[in-house]
Amino acid sequence: MSPKPLAEPVKSAEEAAKEQILSAYQGLDSVTSKAFETGELDNAELQKYARDKAAVGVSMALAWYKQRGLKVIGRSAHDPKVTALDLVGDPKTAVVSDCHDTTGSDTVYTATGKSAIRQDSTEPRRKPVTAKAMLVGNQWLISDYDVDRSRTC
């Protein structure tokens, strides 16, 4: 008779929440990346991961890019971490801190494919991001997303 397999450790409520929050954050990044690459935003998909200022911000930024004939090619890198978590408050909230690294991507003119990033730009390619999340029903959603373009991480 073979030994009985060990049961997987049970996740704490905090660990489970952090996984769900990071999943929402990564889902938002996936939807956003696709939108900035194609110029089309899947609003139904966006609503699975974001709400409030975060969702509106994606729509407004994409409109700004489209108006100027821009798109993003390549992929940016992330290293998100849940840095604050309140599972007692109503609503339950969290903060995600990330370093958005755009060195693997480029903003280009859609018509020509030429880079739209000025050679003399002083904006860092690695920028700190602070995102806020909240539990809505049983789903964590990103409610605010702020990029600090003034410093690097």
Side-chain angles (χ1 to χ4, degrees):
M1 179 174 233
S2 53
K4 193 174 188 179
L6 295 174
E8 300 242 349
V10 176
K11 290 181 188 155
S12 71
E14 185 174 306
E15 289 170 321
K18 285 180 177 181
E19 280 184 14
Q20 293 167 1
I21 293 160
L22 290 175
S23 179
Y25 185 84
Q26 291 159 343
L28 174 59
D29 178 62
S30 178
V31 169
T32 302
S33 294
K34 184 175 180 184
F36 281 93
E37 186 177 321
T38 65
E40 300 300 321
L41 178 61
D42 183 339
N43 274 309
E45 196 68 15
L46 176 64
Q47 298 305 312
K48 292 179 184 178
Y49 307 109
R51 64 176 284 150
D52 301 336
K53 287 172 61 179
V56 171
V58 170
S59 297
M60 289 177 55
L62 182 60
W64 188 91
Y65 268 62
K66 286 174 74 169
Q67 184 179 42
R68 287 158 180 77
L70 301 172
K71 70 177 184 175
V72 177
I73 58 171
R75 289 283 178 211
S76 54
H78 296 271
D79 186 24
K81 292 175 181 42
V82 176
T83 53
L85 181 61
D86 177 1
L87 295 177
V88 177
D90 185 21
K92 293 172 177 40
T93 59
V95 174
V96 176
S97 298
D98 188 13
C99 181
H100 186 187
D101 183 351
T102 61
T103 55
S105 65
D106 194 7
T107 300
V108 299
Y109 291 101
T110 305
T112 64
K114 293 188 185 223
S115 180
I117 298 174
R118 293 179 31 180
Q119 295 299 318
D120 62 348
S121 174
T122 58
E123 183 176 311
R125 298 293 298 218
R126 295 170 45 89
K127 303 172 217 36
V129 173
T130 303
K132 294 179 182 167
M134 67 172 41
L135 187 63
V136 179
N138 63 356
Q139 178 76 33
W140 282 95
L141 298 172
I142 305 302
S143 58
D144 197 2
Y145 187 96
D146 183 53
V147 180
D148 184 348
R149 298 181 194 299
S150 70
R151 62 187 179 95
T152 190
C153 51

